[in-house]
Amino acid sequence: MTKSYIYTLVNRLGHLYLIALFTLAYIFANFYFLFSWHNFLGVLFLIGICFRIFWGFFGTKYSRFKDFEYRGILAYFLFYFKERKNFVSHNPASSFAIILMLFLGILVSLSGILAYGSEQGGGIFANLYFHYSLFDFKTLHKFSVNCLLAVILVHILGALLDKFYHKNDTLNSIISGYKITKYKQEVHLNALQKCICVIYLFLLSLLIWYLFYPKNILLGFKFEPSAFYEKNAFELYKKECGSCHFEYPPFLLNLSSWEELMKNLENHYGTDASLDEEDFEQILTFLKQNNAENFDTKFKKSLKETLNEISNSKQKNSNTISITQCDFYKKAHQNLDPQLFQKKSIKKENCISCHKDAASGIFQRENLSIKP
């Protein structure tokens, strides 16, 4: 038996890179003010996964997929606790686990980018925000993340059993690069592989620099719903309604709710907000053209669900509702301290006091101006 260099520094750092990014991105997803970092790390995770797949074809021996041990997977599990068998590189279980993790890693990253577009109107798929019923990318993202996490935990358990039960040095080799083998086997980078690594690091550095640019196409907030509005009507709406409070995006409510609100402008929440007939008709037409029923957003879906609940409870007219009654509002604010809304600068109806992008109707998690 001899000591052989099996895993190069590229393999070991790449392994650590993916572990660190997935772990941090998973943690950051649960904090509003770290969510932009969650997205940032998610893109870098995708690039790392792509490089590992590329390395699986052009990398060093034992890194390539063709060098994995796929045969005997059933026998490996059947006799796992009965016999000890040492593999130079990946055993059958870890070989299949790596392939599965790479597939799930791609699914996690792509579904995350798609969900970011459909849920928050950001990134390269920002237009999906107004095609929300197309597919539930958020659910797919969560499902794929949990699947990947489950495979990772099983993979870690297998590595620990291999080390402490079978007394193999596979786990040590991932750290040091060296493994005890029957005969001397040395793995080194050739000229082409070194060039690939240099080019990858250069492109990765450029990508990281580019991602910090606010208007980058991968993560930047570049979608403006106002592009859908007729300019003169929108300006009038902002002038008249925005003179007392911020202008609510018309696609937050259905037409019946807007019509009911417009009927009572003489007593608009204790204020006389009456309009002359021409302005009234122009703003009403604007609301008819741009209400929730004419935009395929998550608000339209939530409105329907909320109105159905109200209708079933027989509490009130199921055709009208206020923004703070909607399920999307309640779910987004259910864990906040009620005392937060007692502050003069923060009211339930004053979305822009917390959401810097409220006027756009996007409500990105990372655009909160206060800490929940």
Side-chain angles (χ1 to χ4, degrees):
M1 303 299 287
T2 185
K3 194 174 185 181
S4 299
Y5 190 58
I6 299 298
Y7 297 119
T8 64
L9 184 62
V10 175
N11 295 81
R12 288 161 14 233
L13 288 180
H15 191 256
L16 181 62
Y17 172 91
L18 291 175
I19 292 173
L21 288 180
F22 180 80
T23 303
L24 290 174
Y26 189 90
I27 294 172
F28 289 176
N30 299 300
F31 298 93
Y32 278 90
F33 287 89
L34 292 175
F35 195 70
S36 58
W37 286 101
H38 167 80
N39 297 327
F40 175 80
L41 295 174
V43 173
L44 297 186
F45 180 73
L46 174 60
I47 300 303
I49 290 289
C50 291
F51 176 76
R52 181 61 186 90
I53 293 174
F54 184 84
W55 197 247
F57 293 100
F58 301 99
T60 55
K61 186 174 176 60
Y62 304 123
S63 303
R64 298 190 294 263
F65 300 132
K66 69 177 184 179
D67 296 319
F68 285 14
E69 186 63 63
Y70 302 105
R71 296 170 299 176
I73 181 69
L74 183 60
Y76 178 82
F77 282 116
L78 287 176
F79 303 102
Y80 186 83
F81 292 102
K82 294 182 179 180
E83 61 182 40
R84 172 186 174 182
K85 188 174 181 181
N86 192 20
F87 294 83
V88 175
S89 183
H90 303 96
N91 61 52
S94 63
S95 297
F96 280 103
I98 290 171
I99 299 298
L100 182 56
M101 285 188 288
L102 291 175
F103 170 77
L104 289 172
I106 291 290
L107 185 60
V108 164
S109 302
L110 292 181
S111 62
I113 294 172
L114 288 165
Y116 184 53
S118 64
E119 294 286 336
Q120 301 194 61
I124 194 170
F125 296 110
N127 286 339
L128 288 176
Y129 193 77
F130 285 89
H131 297 85
Y132 191 75
S133 61
L134 182 66
F135 193 82
D136 189 355
F137 295 107
K138 183 178 180 180
T139 298
L140 175 62
H141 183 58
K142 288 183 176 180
F143 175 76
S144 57
V145 166
N146 289 327
C147 286
L148 178 56
L149 180 61
V151 176
I152 290 173
L153 293 176
V154 172
H155 185 58
I156 292 173
L157 177 61
L160 294 174
L161 284 173
D162 185 70
K163 176 176 176 59
F164 296 107
Y165 182 79
H166 289 300
K167 308 300 181 182
N168 289 327
D169 61 346
T170 304
L171 189 59
N172 294 340
S173 67
I174 296 173
I175 300 172
S176 67
Y178 289 93
K179 194 171 186 179
I180 302 300
T181 57
K182 290 183 179 180
Y183 54 90
K184 194 72 172 180
Q185 299 184 64
E186 294 294 327
V187 175
H188 297 287
L189 298 175
N190 60 35
L192 176 61
Q193 290 162 350
K194 290 179 181 178
C195 287
I196 290 173
C197 293
V198 171
I199 293 172
Y200 170 70
L201 290 175
F202 174 73
L203 293 177
L204 181 63
S205 300
L206 285 181
L207 175 64
I208 292 174
W209 174 81
Y210 177 68
L211 289 177
F212 281 104
Y213 174 58
K215 294 185 179 181
N216 72 81
I217 64 171
L218 293 174
L219 297 177
F221 173 63
K222 58 180 175 39
F223 194 80
E224 290 294 338
S226 58
F228 286 100
Y229 307 146
E230 196 280 317
K231 185 176 180 181
N232 292 333
F234 182 49
E235 290 301 323
L236 177 63
Y237 176 69
K238 287 199 299 182
K239 175 185 175 183
E240 295 296 340
C241 301
S243 61
C244 298
H245 54 74
F246 94 98
E247 59 279 8
Y248 292 95
F251 56 82
L252 292 183
L253 286 177
N254 62 336
L255 178 57
S256 298
S257 299
W258 284 123
E259 287 179 329
E260 185 66 26
L261 185 145
M262 293 291 287
K263 287 179 183 178
N264 299 292
L265 291 180
E266 295 81 4
N267 185 21
H268 185 64
Y269 298 100
T271 303
D272 185 357
S274 301
L275 299 168
D276 62 51
E277 185 175 350
E278 183 180 351
D279 289 348
F280 177 88
E281 290 299 329
Q282 192 171 352
I283 290 177
L284 182 59
T285 300
F286 171 76
L287 294 173
K288 287 180 178 179
Q289 293 173 342
N290 300 288
N291 68 85
E293 295 161 22
N294 295 330
F295 284 83
D296 183 13
T297 68
K298 57 185 176 182
F299 305 112
K300 178 181 179 180
K301 179 181 177 181
S302 182
L303 272 169
K304 287 183 177 179
E305 294 171 352
T306 308
L307 292 172
N308 286 335
E309 290 175 5
I310 294 174
S311 179
N312 292 334
S313 66
K314 298 180 180 179
Q315 292 179 355
K316 59 180 294 185
N317 186 340
S318 63
N319 293 320
T320 60
I321 194 173
S322 66
I323 292 175
T324 54
Q325 287 179 291
C326 296
D327 282 345
F328 70 78
Y329 180 93
K330 293 178 180 178
K331 290 177 181 178
H333 300 84
Q334 61 185 352
N335 295 323
L336 297 182
D337 184 355
Q339 296 299 318
L340 182 67
F341 297 106
Q342 301 302 316
K343 297 181 180 180
K344 290 183 178 180
S345 60
I346 301 174
K347 298 295 182 183
K348 284 187 176 182
E349 64 277 6
N350 189 25
C351 308
I352 205 167
S353 61
C354 298
H355 300 273
K356 292 185 289 185
D357 56 354
S360 70
I362 301 297
F363 303 103
Q364 286 189 315
R365 291 177 65 179
E366 59 266 45
N367 270 338
L368 282 170
S369 58
I370 65 164
K371 188 174 182 180

